[in-house]
Coordinates of all heavy atoms in Angstrom, one line a residue:
M1 N -36.4 -47.0 -21.3 CA -36.8 -46.5 -20.0 C -35.5 -45.9 -19.4 O -34.4 -46.4 -19.6 CB -37.4 -47.6 -19.2 CG -38.7 -48.1 -19.6 SD -39.9 -46.8 -19.5 CE -41.3 -47.5 -19.9
P2 N -35.6 -45.0 -18.5 CA -36.8 -44.4 -18.1 C -37.4 -43.4 -19.1 O -36.7 -42.8 -19.8 CB -36.4 -43.7 -16.8 CG -35.0 -43.3 -17.0 CD -34.4 -44.4 -17.9
A3 N -38.7 -43.4 -19.1 CA -39.5 -42.5 -20.0 C -39.2 -41.0 -19.5 O -38.9 -40.8 -18.3 CB -40.9 -42.8 -20.1
H4 N -39.2 -40.1 -20.4 CA -38.9 -38.7 -20.0 C -39.5 -37.8 -21.1 O -39.9 -38.2 -22.2 CB -37.4 -38.4 -19.9 CG -36.6 -38.8 -21.1 ND1 -36.3 -40.1 -21.4 CD2 -36.1 -38.0 -22.1 CE1 -35.6 -40.1 -22.5 NE2 -35.5 -38.9 -23.0
T5 N -39.5 -36.4 -20.8 CA -39.9 -35.5 -21.8 C -38.7 -34.5 -21.9 O -37.8 -34.4 -21.2 CB -41.1 -34.6 -21.2 OG1 -40.8 -34.0 -20.0 CG2 -42.3 -35.6 -21.1
H6 N -38.9 -33.6 -22.9 CA -37.9 -32.5 -23.2 C -38.8 -31.3 -23.6 O -39.2 -31.3 -24.7 CB -37.0 -32.8 -24.3 CG -36.1 -34.0 -24.2 ND1 -35.0 -34.1 -23.5 CD2 -36.3 -35.3 -24.7 CE1 -34.5 -35.3 -23.5 NE2 -35.2 -36.1 -24.3
M7 N -39.1 -30.4 -22.7 CA -40.0 -29.4 -23.0 C -39.5 -28.4 -24.0 O -40.2 -27.7 -24.6 CB -40.3 -28.6 -21.7 CG -41.2 -29.4 -20.8 SD -42.7 -30.0 -21.5 CE -43.6 -28.6 -21.7
R8 N -38.2 -28.4 -24.3 CA -37.6 -27.4 -25.2 C -37.3 -28.0 -26.6 O -36.6 -27.4 -27.4 CB -36.4 -26.7 -24.7 CG -36.8 -25.9 -23.4 CD -35.7 -25.1 -22.8 NE -34.5 -25.9 -22.5 CZ -33.4 -25.4 -22.1 NH1 -33.2 -24.2 -21.9 NH2 -32.4 -26.2 -21.8
R9 N -37.6 -29.3 -26.9 CA -37.3 -29.9 -28.2 C -38.3 -31.0 -28.5 O -38.9 -31.6 -27.6 CB -35.9 -30.3 -28.2 CG -35.5 -31.5 -27.4 CD -34.1 -31.9 -27.7 NE -33.7 -33.1 -26.9 CZ -32.9 -33.0 -25.9 NH1 -32.5 -31.8 -25.5 NH2 -32.6 -34.1 -25.3
S10 N -38.4 -31.3 -29.7 CA -39.2 -32.5 -30.2 C -38.2 -33.5 -30.7 O -37.1 -33.1 -31.2 CB -40.2 -32.0 -31.3 OG -41.1 -31.2 -30.8
E11 N -38.6 -34.7 -30.8 CA -37.8 -35.8 -31.3 C -38.6 -36.6 -32.4 O -39.8 -36.7 -32.3 CB -37.2 -36.6 -30.2 CG -36.3 -35.9 -29.3 CD -35.7 -36.7 -28.2 OE1 -36.1 -37.9 -28.0 OE2 -34.9 -36.2 -27.5
V12 N -37.8 -37.1 -33.3 CA -38.4 -38.0 -34.3 C -37.7 -39.3 -34.3 O -36.4 -39.3 -34.2 CB -38.3 -37.4 -35.7 CG1 -38.9 -38.3 -36.8 CG2 -39.1 -36.0 -35.8
Y13 N -38.4 -40.4 -34.4 CA -37.8 -41.8 -34.5 C -38.2 -42.5 -35.7 O -39.4 -42.5 -36.0 CB -38.3 -42.6 -33.2 CG -37.8 -42.0 -31.9 CD1 -38.6 -41.0 -31.3 CD2 -36.7 -42.5 -31.3 CE1 -38.2 -40.5 -30.1 CE2 -36.3 -41.9 -30.1 CZ -37.0 -40.9 -29.5 OH -36.6 -40.3 -28.3
F14 N -37.3 -43.1 -36.4 CA -37.5 -43.9 -37.6 C -37.1 -45.3 -37.3 O -35.9 -45.6 -37.0 CB -36.8 -43.4 -38.8 CG -36.9 -44.3 -40.0 CD1 -38.1 -44.3 -40.7 CD2 -35.8 -45.0 -40.5 CE1 -38.2 -45.1 -41.8 CE2 -35.9 -45.8 -41.6 CZ -37.2 -45.8 -42.3
Y15 N -38.0 -46.3 -37.2 CA -37.7 -47.6 -36.9 C -37.5 -48.4 -38.1 O -38.2 -48.3 -39.1 CB -38.9 -48.2 -36.0 CG -39.1 -47.5 -34.7 CD1 -40.0 -46.5 -34.5 CD2 -38.3 -47.9 -33.6 CE1 -40.2 -45.9 -33.2 CE2 -38.5 -47.3 -32.4 CZ -39.4 -46.3 -32.2 OH -39.6 -45.7 -30.9
F16 N -36.4 -49.2 -38.1 CA -36.1 -50.1 -39.3 C -35.5 -51.4 -38.8 O -35.2 -51.5 -37.6 CB -35.2 -49.3 -40.2 CG -33.8 -48.9 -39.7 CD1 -32.7 -49.7 -40.0 CD2 -33.7 -47.8 -38.9 CE1 -31.5 -49.4 -39.5 CE2 -32.5 -47.5 -38.4 CZ -31.4 -48.2 -38.7
D17 N -35.3 -52.3 -39.8 CA -34.8 -53.6 -39.5 C -35.8 -54.3 -38.4 O -35.3 -55.1 -37.6 CB -33.4 -53.7 -39.0 CG -32.5 -53.5 -40.1 OD1 -32.8 -53.5 -41.3 OD2 -31.2 -53.3 -39.9
V18 N -37.0 -54.0 -38.5 CA -38.1 -54.7 -37.8 C -38.6 -55.9 -38.6 O -39.0 -55.7 -39.8 CB -39.3 -53.8 -37.4 CG1 -40.3 -54.4 -36.6 CG2 -38.7 -52.5 -36.7
A19 N -38.5 -57.0 -38.0 CA -38.9 -58.3 -38.8 C -40.4 -58.2 -39.2 O -41.2 -57.5 -38.5 CB -38.6 -59.5 -37.9
D20 N -40.7 -58.9 -40.2 CA -42.2 -58.8 -40.7 C -43.1 -59.3 -39.6 O -44.2 -58.8 -39.6 CB -42.3 -59.8 -41.9 CG -41.7 -59.2 -43.2 OD1 -41.4 -58.0 -43.2 OD2 -41.4 -60.0 -44.1
D21 N -42.8 -60.2 -38.8 CA -43.7 -60.7 -37.7 C -43.4 -60.0 -36.3 O -43.9 -60.5 -35.4 CB -43.5 -62.2 -37.6 CG -42.2 -62.7 -37.2 OD1 -41.1 -61.9 -37.3 OD2 -42.1 -63.8 -36.7
A22 N -42.7 -58.9 -36.3 CA -42.4 -58.2 -35.1 C -43.1 -56.8 -35.2 O -43.5 -56.3 -36.2 CB -40.9 -58.1 -34.9
R23 N -43.1 -56.2 -34.0 CA -43.6 -54.8 -33.9 C -42.9 -54.0 -32.8 O -42.3 -54.7 -31.9 CB -45.1 -54.7 -33.5 CG -46.1 -55.4 -34.6 CD -46.1 -54.6 -35.8 NE -47.0 -55.2 -36.9 CZ -46.6 -56.0 -37.8 NH1 -45.3 -56.4 -37.9 NH2 -47.4 -56.5 -38.6
V24 N -42.9 -52.8 -33.0 CA -42.4 -51.8 -31.9 C -43.5 -51.1 -31.3 O -44.3 -50.6 -32.1 CB -41.3 -50.9 -32.5 CG1 -40.8 -49.8 -31.4 CG2 -40.1 -51.6 -33.1
F25 N -43.6 -51.1 -30.0 CA -44.6 -50.3 -29.2 C -43.9 -49.0 -28.8 O -43.0 -49.1 -28.0 CB -45.2 -51.1 -28.1 CG -45.9 -52.3 -28.5 CD1 -45.4 -53.4 -28.9 CD2 -47.3 -52.2 -28.6 CE1 -46.0 -54.5 -29.3 CE2 -48.1 -53.3 -29.0 CZ -47.5 -54.5 -29.3
H26 N -44.3 -47.9 -29.4 CA -43.8 -46.5 -29.0 C -44.8 -45.9 -28.1 O -45.9 -45.6 -28.4 CB -43.6 -45.7 -30.3 CG -43.0 -44.4 -30.0 ND1 -41.6 -44.2 -30.1 CD2 -43.5 -43.2 -29.6 CE1 -41.3 -43.0 -29.8 NE2 -42.5 -42.3 -29.5
L27 N -44.3 -45.7 -26.8 CA -45.1 -45.0 -25.8 C -45.0 -43.5 -26.0 O -43.9 -43.0 -26.2 CB -44.6 -45.4 -24.4 CG -44.6 -46.9 -24.2 CD1 -44.0 -47.2 -22.8 CD2 -45.9 -47.5 -24.3
M28 N -46.1 -42.8 -25.9 CA -46.1 -41.3 -26.0 C -47.2 -40.8 -25.2 O -48.1 -41.4 -24.7 CB -46.0 -40.9 -27.4 CG -47.2 -41.3 -28.3 SD -46.9 -40.8 -30.0 CE -46.5 -39.1 -29.9
G29 N -47.3 -39.4 -25.2 CA -48.3 -38.7 -24.5 C -47.9 -38.1 -23.2 O -46.7 -38.4 -22.7
P30 N -48.7 -37.4 -22.4 CA -48.3 -36.9 -21.1 C -48.2 -38.1 -20.1 O -48.9 -39.1 -20.3 CB -49.4 -35.9 -20.7 CG -50.6 -36.3 -21.6 CD -50.0 -36.9 -22.8
P31 N -47.3 -38.0 -19.2 CA -47.1 -39.2 -18.3 C -48.3 -39.8 -17.6 O -48.5 -40.9 -17.5 CB -46.1 -38.7 -17.2 CG -45.4 -37.5 -17.9 CD -46.4 -36.9 -18.9
E32 N -49.3 -38.9 -17.3 CA -50.4 -39.3 -16.7 C -51.5 -39.8 -17.6 O -52.6 -40.2 -17.1 CB -51.0 -38.2 -15.8 CG -51.5 -37.0 -16.5 CD -50.3 -36.0 -16.9 OE1 -49.2 -36.2 -16.6 OE2 -50.7 -35.0 -17.6
E33 N -51.2 -39.8 -18.8 CA -52.3 -40.2 -19.9 C -51.6 -40.8 -21.2 O -51.8 -40.2 -22.2 CB -53.3 -39.1 -20.2 CG -54.5 -39.5 -20.9 CD -55.5 -38.4 -21.2 OE1 -55.3 -37.3 -20.6 OE2 -56.3 -38.6 -21.9
T34 N -50.8 -41.8 -21.0 CA -50.0 -42.3 -22.1 C -50.8 -43.0 -23.1 O -51.9 -43.6 -22.8 CB -48.9 -43.2 -21.6 OG1 -49.4 -44.3 -21.0 CG2 -47.9 -42.5 -20.7
R35 N -50.3 -43.0 -24.3 CA -50.9 -43.8 -25.4 C -49.7 -44.6 -26.0 O -48.5 -44.3 -25.8 CB -51.5 -42.9 -26.4 CG -52.7 -42.1 -25.9 CD -53.9 -43.0 -25.6 NE -55.1 -42.3 -25.2 CZ -55.4 -42.2 -23.9 NH1 -54.7 -42.6 -22.9 NH2 -56.6 -41.5 -23.6
H36 N -50.0 -45.4 -26.9 CA -48.9 -46.1 -27.6 C -49.3 -46.3 -29.1 O -50.5 -46.3 -29.5 CB -48.7 -47.6 -27.0 CG -49.9 -48.5 -27.1 ND1 -50.9 -48.5 -26.2 CD2 -50.2 -49.4 -28.1 CE1 -51.7 -49.5 -26.6 NE2 -51.3 -50.0 -27.7
L37 N -48.3 -46.3 -29.9 CA -48.3 -46.7 -31.3 C -47.7 -48.0 -31.6 O -46.7 -48.4 -31.0 CB -47.6 -45.6 -32.1 CG -48.1 -44.2 -32.0 CD1 -47.2 -43.2 -32.8 CD2 -49.5 -44.1 -32.5
V38 N -48.4 -48.8 -32.5 CA -47.8 -50.1 -32.9 C -47.2 -49.9 -34.2 O -47.9 -49.6 -35.2 CB -48.9 -51.2 -32.9 CG1 -48.3 -52.5 -33.3 CG2 -49.5 -51.2 -31.5
L39 N -45.8 -50.1 -34.4 CA -45.1 -49.7 -35.5 C -44.5 -50.9 -36.2 O -44.1 -51.8 -35.5 CB -44.1 -48.7 -35.3 CG -44.6 -47.4 -34.6 CD1 -43.4 -46.6 -34.1 CD2 -45.4 -46.6 -35.6
S40 N -44.5 -50.9 -37.5 CA -43.8 -51.9 -38.3 C -42.5 -51.4 -38.9 O -42.2 -50.3 -38.6 CB -44.8 -52.4 -39.5 OG -46.0 -52.8 -38.9
N41 N -41.9 -52.2 -39.7 CA -40.7 -51.8 -40.3 C -40.8 -50.5 -41.2 O -41.8 -50.3 -41.8 CB -40.1 -53.0 -41.2 CG -38.7 -52.7 -41.7 OD1 -37.9 -52.2 -40.9 ND2 -38.3 -53.1 -42.8
R42 N -39.8 -49.6 -41.1 CA -39.7 -48.4 -41.8 C -40.9 -47.5 -41.5 O -41.4 -46.7 -42.4 CB -39.6 -48.7 -43.3 CG -38.3 -49.4 -43.6 CD -38.2 -49.7 -45.1 NE -37.1 -50.4 -45.4 CZ -36.7 -50.8 -46.7 NH1 -37.5 -50.5 -47.6 NH2 -35.6 -51.4 -46.9
E43 N -41.2 -47.4 -40.3 CA -42.3 -46.4 -39.9 C -41.6 -45.4 -38.9 O -40.7 -45.7 -38.2 CB -43.4 -47.0 -39.2 CG -44.3 -47.8 -40.3 CD -45.6 -48.3 -39.8 OE1 -45.7 -48.9 -38.7 OE2 -46.6 -48.0 -40.5
A44 N -42.1 -44.1 -38.9 CA -41.6 -43.1 -38.0 C -42.7 -42.5 -37.2 O -43.9 -42.6 -37.4 CB -41.0 -42.0 -39.0
V45 N -42.2 -41.9 -36.1 CA -43.1 -41.2 -35.2 C -42.4 -39.9 -34.8 O -41.2 -39.9 -34.5 CB -43.5 -42.1 -34.0 CG1 -42.4 -42.5 -33.1 CG2 -44.5 -41.4 -33.2
A46 N -43.2 -38.8 -34.6 CA -42.7 -37.5 -34.1 C -43.2 -37.4 -32.7 O -44.4 -37.6 -32.4 CB -43.2 -36.4 -34.9
S47 N -42.4 -37.0 -31.8 CA -42.7 -36.9 -30.3 C -42.5 -35.5 -29.9 O -41.4 -34.9 -29.9 CB -41.8 -37.8 -29.5 OG -42.1 -37.8 -28.1
P48 N -43.6 -34.7 -29.7 CA -43.5 -33.3 -29.2 C -42.9 -33.2 -27.9 O -42.8 -34.2 -27.1 CB -45.0 -32.8 -29.3 CG -45.8 -34.1 -29.2 CD -45.0 -35.2 -29.8
G49 N -42.4 -32.1 -27.6 CA -41.7 -31.8 -26.3 C -42.5 -32.2 -25.0 O -41.9 -32.6 -24.1
W50 N -43.8 -32.1 -25.0 CA -44.6 -32.4 -23.8 C -44.8 -33.9 -23.7 O -45.4 -34.3 -22.7 CB -45.9 -31.6 -23.9 CG -46.7 -31.8 -25.2 CD1 -46.7 -30.9 -26.3 CD2 -47.5 -32.9 -25.5 NE1 -47.5 -31.5 -27.2 CE2 -48.0 -32.7 -26.8 CE3 -47.9 -34.0 -24.9 CZ2 -48.9 -33.5 -27.5 CZ3 -48.8 -34.9 -25.5 CH2 -49.2 -34.7 -26.8
S51 N -44.5 -34.7 -24.7 CA -44.8 -36.1 -24.7 C -43.6 -36.9 -24.2 O -42.5 -36.6 -24.6 CB -45.2 -36.5 -26.1 OG -45.4 -37.9 -26.2
I52 N -43.9 -37.9 -23.4 CA -42.9 -38.9 -23.1 C -42.5 -39.7 -24.3 O -43.3 -39.7 -25.3 CB -43.3 -39.9 -21.9 CG1 -44.5 -40.8 -22.4 CG2 -43.6 -39.2 -20.7 CD1 -44.3 -42.2 -22.0
H53 N -41.4 -40.3 -24.3 CA -41.0 -41.2 -25.4 C -40.2 -42.4 -24.9 O -39.3 -42.2 -24.1 CB -40.3 -40.5 -26.6 CG -39.3 -39.5 -26.1 ND1 -39.6 -38.3 -25.7 CD2 -37.9 -39.6 -25.9 CE1 -38.5 -37.6 -25.4 NE2 -37.5 -38.5 -25.5
A54 N -40.7 -43.5 -25.3 CA -40.0 -44.8 -24.9 C -40.5 -45.8 -25.9 O -41.6 -45.8 -26.4 CB -40.3 -45.2 -23.5
G55 N -39.7 -46.8 -26.1 CA -40.2 -47.9 -27.0 C -39.7 -49.2 -26.6 O -38.7 -49.4 -25.9
V56 N -40.4 -50.2 -27.1 CA -40.1 -51.6 -26.7 C -40.5 -52.5 -28.0 O -41.5 -52.2 -28.6 CB -40.8 -52.1 -25.4 CG1 -42.2 -52.1 -25.5 CG2 -40.3 -53.5 -25.1
G57 N -39.7 -53.4 -28.3 CA -40.0 -54.3 -29.5 C -40.2 -55.7 -29.1 O -39.8 -56.2 -28.0
T58 N -41.0 -56.4 -29.9 CA -41.3 -57.9 -29.7 C -40.1 -58.6 -30.2 O -39.9 -59.9 -29.8 CB -42.5 -58.3 -30.5 OG1 -42.4 -58.1 -31.8 CG2 -43.8 -57.6 -29.9
Q59 N -39.1 -58.0 -30.9 CA -37.8 -58.6 -31.4 C -36.9 -57.5 -31.4 O -37.3 -56.3 -31.3 CB -38.0 -59.4 -32.7 CG -38.9 -60.6 -32.6 CD -39.0 -61.2 -34.0 OE1 -38.1 -61.1 -34.8 NE2 -40.1 -62.0 -34.2
A60 N -35.6 -57.8 -31.8 CA -34.6 -56.7 -31.9 C -35.1 -55.8 -33.0 O -35.7 -56.2 -34.1 CB -33.3 -57.4 -32.2
Y61 N -34.7 -54.5 -33.0 CA -35.0 -53.6 -34.0 C -33.9 -52.5 -33.9 O -33.1 -52.4 -33.0 CB -36.3 -52.9 -33.9 CG -36.5 -52.2 -32.5 CD1 -36.3 -50.8 -32.5 CD2 -37.0 -52.8 -31.4 CE1 -36.4 -50.1 -31.3 CE2 -37.1 -52.0 -30.2 CZ -36.8 -50.7 -30.2 OH -37.0 -50.0 -29.0
K62 N -33.9 -51.6 -34.9 CA -33.0 -50.5 -34.9 C -33.8 -49.2 -35.1 O -34.9 -49.3 -35.6 CB -31.9 -50.6 -36.1 CG -31.0 -51.8 -35.9 CD -30.1 -51.9 -37.1 CE -29.3 -53.1 -37.0 NZ -28.6 -53.5 -38.3
F63 N -33.2 -48.1 -34.7 CA -33.9 -46.8 -34.9 C -32.9 -45.7 -35.2 O -31.8 -45.8 -34.7 CB -34.9 -46.5 -33.8 CG -34.3 -46.1 -32.5 CD1 -33.9 -44.8 -32.2 CD2 -34.0 -47.0 -31.6 CE1 -33.4 -44.5 -31.0 CE2 -33.4 -46.7 -30.4 CZ -33.1 -45.4 -30.1
C64 N -33.4 -44.7 -35.9 CA -32.6 -43.5 -36.2 C -33.3 -42.4 -35.5 O -34.6 -42.3 -35.6 CB -32.5 -43.2 -37.7 SG -31.6 -41.8 -38.2
W65 N -32.6 -41.6 -34.7 CA -33.2 -40.6 -33.9 C -32.7 -39.2 -34.4 O -31.6 -39.0 -34.7 CB -32.7 -40.9 -32.5 CG -32.9 -39.8 -31.5 CD1 -34.0 -39.4 -30.9 CD2 -31.9 -39.0 -31.0 NE1 -33.7 -38.4 -30.0 CE2 -32.4 -38.1 -30.0 CE3 -30.5 -38.9 -31.2 CZ2 -31.7 -37.1 -29.3 CZ3 -29.7 -37.9 -30.5 CH2 -30.3 -37.1 -29.5
G66 N -33.7 -38.2 -34.3 CA -33.3 -36.9 -34.7 C -34.1 -36.0 -33.7 O -35.1 -36.3 -33.2
M67 N -33.5 -34.7 -33.6 CA -34.3 -33.9 -32.6 C -34.2 -32.4 -33.2 O -33.3 -32.1 -34.1 CB -33.7 -33.8 -31.3 CG -32.2 -33.2 -31.2 SD -31.8 -33.1 -29.4 CE -30.4 -32.0 -29.6
G68 N -35.1 -31.5 -32.8 CA -35.1 -30.1 -33.1 C -35.7 -29.3 -32.0 O -36.6 -29.7 -31.4
G69 N -35.1 -28.2 -31.8 CA -35.6 -27.3 -30.7 C -34.5 -26.3 -30.3 O -33.5 -26.1 -31.0
E70 N -34.7 -25.6 -29.2 CA -33.9 -24.5 -28.9 C -32.6 -24.9 -28.1 O -31.8 -24.0 -27.9 CB -34.7 -23.5 -28.1 CG -35.0 -24.0 -26.7 CD -35.8 -23.0 -25.9 OE1 -36.8 -22.5 -26.3 OE2 -35.3 -22.6 -24.8
N71 N -32.4 -26.1 -27.8 CA -31.2 -26.5 -27.1 C -30.5 -27.7 -27.6 O -31.2 -28.5 -28.4 CB -31.5 -26.7 -25.5 CG -32.2 -27.9 -25.3 OD1 -33.0 -28.4 -26.1 ND2 -32.1 -28.5 -24.1
Q72 N -29.3 -27.9 -27.3 CA -28.5 -29.1 -27.7 C -27.9 -29.9 -26.5 O -27.1 -30.6 -26.6 CB -27.4 -28.6 -28.6 CG -27.8 -28.0 -29.9 CD -28.3 -29.1 -30.9 OE1 -27.7 -30.2 -30.9 NE2 -29.4 -28.8 -31.5
D73 N -28.5 -29.6 -25.3 CA -28.1 -30.3 -24.1 C -28.8 -31.7 -24.1 O -30.0 -31.7 -23.7 CB -28.4 -29.4 -22.9 CG -28.0 -30.1 -21.6 OD1 -27.4 -31.2 -21.6 OD2 -28.1 -29.4 -20.5
Y74 N -28.1 -32.7 -24.3 CA -28.8 -34.1 -24.4 C -29.2 -34.5 -23.0 O -30.0 -35.4 -22.9 CB -27.7 -35.0 -25.0 CG -27.4 -34.8 -26.4 CD1 -26.1 -34.5 -26.8 CD2 -28.4 -34.8 -27.4 CE1 -25.8 -34.2 -28.1 CE2 -28.1 -34.5 -28.7 CZ -26.8 -34.2 -29.0 OH -26.5 -33.9 -30.3
A75 N -28.6 -34.0 -21.9 CA -29.0 -34.3 -20.6 C -30.2 -33.6 -20.0 O -30.7 -33.7 -18.9 CB -27.9 -34.2 -19.6
D76 N -30.7 -32.6 -20.9 CA -31.9 -31.8 -20.5 C -33.1 -32.6 -20.6 O -33.8 -32.5 -21.7 CB -31.9 -30.5 -21.3 CG -33.0 -29.6 -21.1 OD1 -33.6 -29.7 -19.9 OD2 -33.4 -28.9 -21.9
M77 N -33.5 -33.3 -19.6 CA -34.7 -34.0 -19.7 C -35.5 -34.0 -18.3 O -34.8 -33.8 -17.3 CB -34.4 -35.5 -20.1 CG -33.6 -36.3 -19.1 SD -33.4 -38.0 -19.7 CE -31.8 -37.8 -20.5
D78 N -36.7 -34.2 -18.4 CA -37.6 -34.2 -17.2 C -38.1 -35.7 -17.1 O -38.8 -36.1 -17.9 CB -38.8 -33.3 -17.3 CG -38.3 -31.8 -17.5 OD1 -37.6 -31.4 -16.7 OD2 -38.8 -31.2 -18.5
P79 N -37.5 -36.5 -16.1 CA -38.0 -37.8 -16.0 C -39.4 -38.0 -15.7 O -40.1 -37.2 -15.1 CB -37.1 -38.4 -14.9 CG -36.6 -37.2 -14.1 CD -36.7 -36.0 -15.1
A80 N -40.0 -39.1 -16.1 CA -41.4 -39.5 -15.8 C -41.3 -40.8 -15.1 O -41.3 -41.9 -15.7 CB -42.2 -39.7 -17.1
P81 N -41.2 -40.8 -13.7 CA -41.2 -42.1 -13.0 C -42.3 -42.9 -13.3 O -43.4 -42.5 -13.6 CB -41.2 -41.5 -11.5 CG -40.9 -40.1 -11.6 CD -41.4 -39.6 -12.9
L82 N -41.9 -44.2 -13.4 CA -42.9 -45.2 -13.7 C -44.2 -45.2 -12.9 O -45.3 -45.3 -13.4 CB -42.3 -46.7 -13.6 CG -41.3 -47.0 -14.7 CD1 -40.8 -48.4 -14.4 CD2 -42.1 -47.0 -16.1
E83 N -44.1 -44.8 -11.6 CA -45.2 -44.7 -10.7 C -46.2 -43.6 -11.1 O -47.3 -43.5 -10.7 CB -44.9 -44.7 -9.2 CG -44.0 -43.6 -8.8 CD -42.5 -43.9 -9.0 OE1 -42.1 -45.0 -9.5 OE2 -41.7 -43.1 -8.6
S84 N -45.7 -42.6 -11.8 CA -46.5 -41.5 -12.3 C -47.2 -41.8 -13.6 O -48.1 -41.0 -14.0 CB -45.7 -40.2 -12.4 OG -44.8 -40.3 -13.6
M85 N -46.8 -42.8 -14.3 CA -47.3 -43.1 -15.6 C -48.7 -43.8 -15.5 O -48.9 -44.8 -14.7 CB -46.3 -43.8 -16.4 CG -45.2 -42.9 -16.8 SD -43.9 -43.8 -17.7 CE -44.7 -44.4 -19.1
R86 N -49.6 -43.5 -16.4 CA -50.9 -44.1 -16.5 C -51.2 -44.4 -17.9 O -50.9 -43.8 -18.8 CB -52.1 -43.2 -16.0 CG -51.8 -42.8 -14.5 CD -52.3 -43.9 -13.6 NE -51.9 -43.5 -12.2 CZ -50.9 -44.0 -11.5 NH1 -50.1 -44.8 -11.9 NH2 -50.8 -43.6 -10.2

């Protein structure tokens, strides 16, 4: 947190070192209509530019992050305030 979008790039997350009895909840979708994915060890998710992205685990986990798009400005993000999320 805070959740945010990047209209000019997409991001991919690969979650690993997730314990067998743990899960990662990856939040995505437009801020006003979010959805979540429940991920186990060694699973990945692609987040398009219009989608928020945030994750939380039931235990410690690691992830590898990659991005692709027209810019390389890591601070180029549009925040999604918690009060706007549904």
Side-chain angles (χ1 to χ4, degrees):
M1 289 299 185
H4 57 277
T5 61
H6 302 280
M7 289 307 290
R8 296 187 303 179
R9 70 174 179 257
S10 296
E11 298 183 350
V12 177
Y13 297 85
F14 175 70
Y15 294 98
F16 62 99
D17 284 349
V18 179
D20 289 341
D21 62 342
R23 296 294 180 267
V24 174
F25 292 81
H26 184 93
L27 305 173
M28 61 185 309
E32 65 280 357
E33 192 176 349
T34 61
R35 298 290 185 260
H36 65 274
L37 298 175
V38 181
L39 303 168
S40 301
N41 194 36
R42 298 183 180 175
E43 292 191 310
V45 61
S47 184
W50 52 264
S51 176
I52 64 138
H53 43 276
V56 62
T58 60
Q59 295 180 25
Y61 63 92
K62 296 176 184 169
F63 68 92
C64 180
W65 163 78
M67 70 172 195
E70 69 177 60
N71 72 332
Q72 293 287 319
D73 181 2
Y74 297 116
D76 178 25
M77 63 179 95
D78 299 309
L82 286 176
E83 58 272 5
S84 72
M85 293 177 55
R86 303 280 179 257

